[in-house]
Structures are given as structure tokens and as C-alpha cells.
């Protein structure tokens, strides 16, 4: 009988009984599956991983949760109401249109917030772009953008969120949060995005803070050079 091939343990264990179990399992036959079984397995695996019509629709609409479906359904109802208003207009039509416009704006806001929490980076990025024009007037949108700027695992989403918040950096709350993030973040891409929004929109005090961070060697060398080119000598 030919020698059996020996297999390494899947992991090192200090438990003697566990090691004995794995050694005993090596004596079990390891036959190759039949070609037909292999083909059936890959066919079933491909079918299980294929996108369903529902998942494709959710992806196309940018809807990641049941809340998103509710938002879409309400949008349909509002659209129908608008059509009815145009068809059967009369006294108070202007007031009704204003109310419908407000409802549409509210639903659009909810859809943006839903996208900002999406599992897909592309949908989160789309949500960031759509949220940029709300960042000045909506505290909840600002908090959602700040979360993307500080915690998102994709650098492009983080930098886009920082750019969206940039025009409001002179606001004390937003400015303090972004400068605190600059002190903590290690990614040079995120650091550069933060420095750029300060250089474009920051106050004199914020510019001084950035200059101090660069002088103390707390920024990436490339970001420090960017600060030096923009603000001159870094000596304090």
C-alpha cells in the first residue's frame, strides 16, 4: 500500500486531545469528487451567487434597507398626488404645491441618509455627493457626513465627506471636529483633504493650528510640504 500523504494541522493547538483528533482525521480517505459532482457543485454555487432581479433593482435605486423601500413607496404616492393636483387644480393650488414640494424635499433627505449608511461604497459616495448641499442647514446630515469622514473604511468616501463639509468649516462645531480628526488620522490622503479644506475655507485661527501641527511633525511629510508651500515658513 502506498504511503499516505501527511497533512499539516490546520492550526497549532496546545490541547493534546485536540491534536490527537486532528491526527486521527488524517487517516480518513480523501478521495477526489467525481467530475459530475464537481460540475454540479460549481453550477449550484454560481446560481446561488447570481444577482436576483430584486437585488439588481435595489442596487439601481440605491436602496439598502427596508426604510429605503418605504421612502421609495412614499415617493410614488407623492408623485401621484402631484399629478392629481395638476389635473384637478383649483383654489389653494399654490399652497398644496408648496406642501408637496416640502414633502418631496423631506423624502429626498431620507433617501440621502439611507445612502450614507449603505453597505456599498459607491452608494455611500453617491449619498455624500447628494448630501453636500444640505450640510449647511441640517444637523443630522452633518453628523452623518462627519461619521463618513472619520470612520468610513474607504478613503475616497472619507475625502468626499470632508470636501462636502469644507464650506462649513468656519462653523465652530464642524471646524473643531475636522481639526480634531486631523490630529488623529494617519492616512496621508485624508490628512491632505483636511488640510486643503482648511486652506480654502478656514479661519486664521484654524490656519495657525494646521501650521502648528506641521511644525510639530505630526503630519505626513508630503502634507507638511503642502502646508509649507501654502503658508510659508513653518518655524514658530
Amino acid at each position: 500500500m502506498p504511503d499516505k500523504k501527511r497533512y499539516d494541522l490546520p492550526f497549532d493547538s496546545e490541547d493534546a486531545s485536540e491534536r490527537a483528533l486532528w491526527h486521527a482525521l488524517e487517516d480518513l480517505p480523501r478521495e477526489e469528487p467525481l467530475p459530475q459532482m464537481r460540475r454540479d457543485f460549481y453550477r449550484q454555487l454560481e446560481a446561488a451567487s447570481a444577482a436576483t432581479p430584486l437585488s439588481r433593482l435595489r442596487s439601481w435605486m440605491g436602496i439598502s434597507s427596508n426604510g429605503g423601500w418605504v421612502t421609495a413607496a412614499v415617493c410614488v404616492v407623492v408623485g401621484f398626488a402631484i399629478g392629481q393636483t395638476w389635473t384637478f387644480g383649483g383654489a389653494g393650488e399654490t399652497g398644496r404645491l408648496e406642501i408637496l414640494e416640502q414633502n418631496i424635499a423631506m423624502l429626498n433627505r431620507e433617501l440621502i441618509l439611507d445612502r450614507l449608511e449603505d453597505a456599498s461604497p459607491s452608494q455611500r459616495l453617491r449619498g455624500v455627493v447628494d448630501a453636500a448641499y444640505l450640510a449647511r442647514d441640517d444637523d443630522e446630515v452633518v453628523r452623518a457626513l462627519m461619521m463618513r469622514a472619520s470612520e468610513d473604511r474607504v478613503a475616497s468616501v472619507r475625502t468626499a465627506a470632508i470636501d462636502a463639509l469644507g464650506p462649513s468649516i468656519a462653523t465652530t462645531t464642524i471646524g473643531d471636529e475636522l481639526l480634531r480628526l486631523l490630529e488623529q488620522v494617519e492616512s496621508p490622503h485624508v490628512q491632505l483633504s483636511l488640510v486643503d479644506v482648511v486652506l480654502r475655507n478656514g479661519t486664521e485661527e484654524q490656519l495657525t493650528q494646521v501650521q502648528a501641527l506641521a511644525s510639530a511633525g505630526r503630519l505626513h511629510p508630503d502634507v507638511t510640504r503642502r502646508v509649507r508651500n501654502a503658508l510659508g515658513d513653518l518655524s514658530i
Side-chain angles (χ1 to χ4, degrees), residues 62-79:
I63 295 173
S64 63
S65 65
N66 291 333
W69 281 112
V70 172
T71 302
V74 176
C75 285
V76 172
V77 174
V78 171

Side-chain angles (χ1 to χ4, degrees), residues 96-114:
R96 288 197 298 271
L97 284 176
E98 290 177 355
I99 293 173
L100 288 173
E101 287 173 356
Q102 292 173 4
N103 289 336
I104 290 172
M106 179 188 67
L107 293 171
N108 185 52
R109 172 183 177 275
E110 293 301 320
L111 185 58
I112 289 172
L113 289 171
D114 188 65

Side-chain angles (χ1 to χ4, degrees), residues 113-129:
L113 289 171
D114 188 65
R115 284 176 177 156
L116 287 171
E117 298 297 328
D118 200 285
S120 166
S122 63
Q123 289 299 329
R124 293 199 304 276
L125 184 59
R126 182 178 176 185
V128 167
V129 173

